[in-house]
Amino acid sequence: MTSQVNALPRAAQHWLTDRPRLTDTLWVGGLTLLDMVTVLDRTPRPPGWGVALWGAQTVPLLWRRTRPRAVLVAMTALYVLFQALAPIYGKVPGPFLLMIGVYAVARYAPAPASGPLTLCCLATTAVTDALTGHWQPPRLGSLEPISFTTFAFFFAAAWLLGYGRRRIGADAERLRELNRRLAAEQELNARQAVLTERARIARDLHDVVAHHVSAIALQARAAEDVLATDPPDAGEAAHGVGVIARTADTALTEMRRLLGLLSFDERDLAPEPSLDHLDLLVGVAASAGCRVTCVAETRAGNALPAGMQVSAYRIVQEALTNVVKHAGPVGVRVAVRGDERRLTIEVENDAPAPGHRPVPGTGRGLVGMRERVAAFDGALHAGPRPDGGWRLQAVLSGRDSGSAQGDR
């Protein structure tokens, strides 16, 4: 209950801060009424227009935020008018109301305009006091009587205070602008990171699905050929169908793992693939009928960067997928060599068997390999061999950007 009571003044303060026009109206109106009340009981009783003129000196402060220069000019003019007419006996305006105008012009107007205007106001009030006989030489150690020295001191203090507040406000606004820009850049970077991650997931999903589905298609076609041309070998065809089932299960598992990245639940994620898992790729390609030999010689071993290992794994996966799709069950040689700074991947395959029907591709596989290689400032070379086979070489150097070459 106590905290709620203490929060009420803060809530009211925030409410008034968000409504500066209302705040100015309240305090300027209250100040004007107070000034008028203080002169009503004077003897002799002042005329009504004199009381109104006395109170009118504070009215321009309503526009101190939006028209600070005009406010100071108006208050100076009202000061001069009151001094010249002297409607209230023994009542001489002091510097305090004008100090608010000086503060406002220094706070809300540029210094090149507020400085000279303040000096003009000071000179005008000094000349007015001298002409009306209110100026007297100051006494040492006293601010009385009100004199040019008094006005100069208070005007200088008010101007310096307003100018300092203006500088603080300008610095705060610059900081707010920098914070807005920083927030916008962070949001842009976050969106870019999301888009980059989605593109990576799409590439990985393409690599996984294309690799396993290509093997499924090849096994299914082989089973179809066996059943159509040699029914007695149905047992071998059944074995091929079993391989198809296992390959499909593997594809689904990999797909679930990649799609699980979008759920941001780390408990559902399997470890990222690495060069230690190349035997899985070899097994899938072998199940499709390929004769695969794999040599991995990396002096760094597990010290290779995780990102480089993932990219190398996916490159080998896509290369074997292309072999299965375009060449069929042929001999394939995979070599991975390197250290913690440089990694070379070579995949070669023999010419396809006569009559082989290649599986149509989308062209995204090699594009994805180029992007993976470029991320490590590497180079990609892919092209046919003289014997009708195909050779792919990818070099990853471990830096952040680069280019890739070659196409298939």
Side-chain angles (χ1 to χ4, degrees):
M1 184 64 181
T2 303
S3 61
Q4 293 178 353
V5 173
N6 294 335
L8 288 178
R10 289 196 298 269
Q13 182 179 1
H14 291 315
W15 188 83
L16 290 174
T17 303
D18 294 337
R19 295 164 176 81
R21 187 66 178 175
L22 176 61
T23 303
D24 290 345
T25 302
L26 291 176
W27 81 265
V28 171
L31 182 62
T32 301
L33 291 176
L34 179 64
D35 282 346
M36 295 173 67
V37 169
T38 57
V39 298
L40 288 177
D41 59 348
R42 297 181 67 88
T43 302
R45 188 178 180 85
W49 65 270
V51 176
L53 182 59
W54 176 260
Q57 294 180 83
T58 59
V59 173
L61 292 174
L62 282 172
W63 295 273
R64 64 189 180 89
R65 300 178 192 269
T66 56
R67 299 288 187 272
R69 286 173 286 188
V71 166
L72 184 58
V73 171
M75 293 184 70
T76 303
L78 290 170
Y79 176 89
V80 172
L81 183 61
F82 189 91
Q83 290 283 65
L85 298 178
I88 302 178
Y89 177 78
K91 189 67 172 175
V92 180
F96 302 105
L97 291 180
L98 284 174
M99 283 176 57
I100 302 176
V102 171
Y103 171 86
V105 77
R107 170 69 177 87
Y108 299 107
S114 65
L117 187 58
T118 300
L119 293 177
C120 289
C121 176
L122 178 61
T124 301
T125 55
V127 170
T128 301
D129 285 347
L131 293 177
T132 57
H134 295 111
W135 184 87
Q136 298 180 27
R139 296 194 299 268
L140 185 63
S142 174
L143 294 178
E144 295 293 343
I146 299 299
S147 63
F148 175 78
T149 306
T150 308
F151 272 69
F153 174 79
F154 284 114
F155 276 27
W159 189 90
L160 290 174
L161 186 61
Y163 178 73
R165 185 65 183 85
R166 177 181 176 84
R167 290 289 303 271
I168 293 174
D171 292 342
E173 181 59 31
R174 281 195 294 270
L175 289 176
R176 284 192 292 269
E177 179 62 23
L178 289 175
N179 286 334
R180 285 193 291 269
R181 291 182 182 180
L182 179 60
E185 291 178 2
Q186 288 176 341
E187 182 178 359
L188 181 61
N189 291 336
R191 290 181 179 179
Q192 186 61 39
V194 170
L195 293 177
T196 301
E197 183 65 14
R198 287 179 178 176
R200 186 188 71 81
I201 293 173
R203 288 197 302 268
D204 286 349
L205 190 60
H206 167 268
D207 293 344
V208 170
V209 174
H211 180 71
H212 292 292
V213 171
S214 297
I216 291 172
L218 189 62
Q219 286 289 342
R221 187 168 296 155
E224 180 186 13
D225 292 340
V226 169
L227 292 174
T229 60
D230 195 359
D233 289 337
E236 181 181 350
H239 173 73
V241 171
V243 173
I244 291 174
R246 290 191 295 274
T247 306
D249 290 340
T250 303
L252 288 174
T253 301
E254 289 282 347
M255 193 185 312
R256 290 192 189 100
R257 185 187 68 81
L258 290 173
L259 293 178
L261 291 172
L262 301 177
S263 69
F264 299 99
D265 188 350
E266 296 182 355
R267 294 173 300 177
D268 296 336
L269 303 182
E272 286 284 359
S274 66
L275 295 179
D276 294 334
H277 304 128
L278 289 179
D279 56 335
L280 300 177
L281 301 179
V282 172
V284 173
S287 67
C290 295
R291 301 175 299 280
V292 185
T293 59
C294 181
V295 178
E297 298 177 354
T298 54
R299 292 193 297 272
N302 292 329
L304 283 171
M308 183 184 290
Q309 293 205 43
V310 172
S311 294
Y313 178 91
R314 296 305 185 194
I315 290 171
V316 173
Q317 184 180 48
E318 182 60 33
L320 292 178
T321 298
N322 286 340
V323 171
V324 173
K325 288 197 302 185
H326 298 290
V330 297
V332 185
R333 290 161 295 284
V334 178
V336 180
R337 299 182 177 87
D339 52 29
E340 66 276 3
R341 294 292 301 165
R342 185 182 182 89
L343 192 65
T344 301
I345 303 166
E346 294 182 357
V347 181
E348 295 182 329
N349 63 271
D350 298 334
H356 171 71
R357 293 176 293 172
V359 177
T362 63
R364 287 184 53 87
L366 200 58
V367 173
M369 283 193 284
R370 276 205 199 95
E371 293 178 359
R372 294 183 186 281
V373 170
F376 290 91
D377 194 27
L380 180 69
H381 303 275
R385 295 170 46 189
D387 61 357
W390 192 270
R391 181 176 183 272
L392 180 141
Q393 183 187 58
V395 179
L396 285 68
S397 64
R399 293 191 292 273
D400 294 332
S401 62
S403 61
Q405 303 174 0
D407 200 349
R408 181 170 184 170

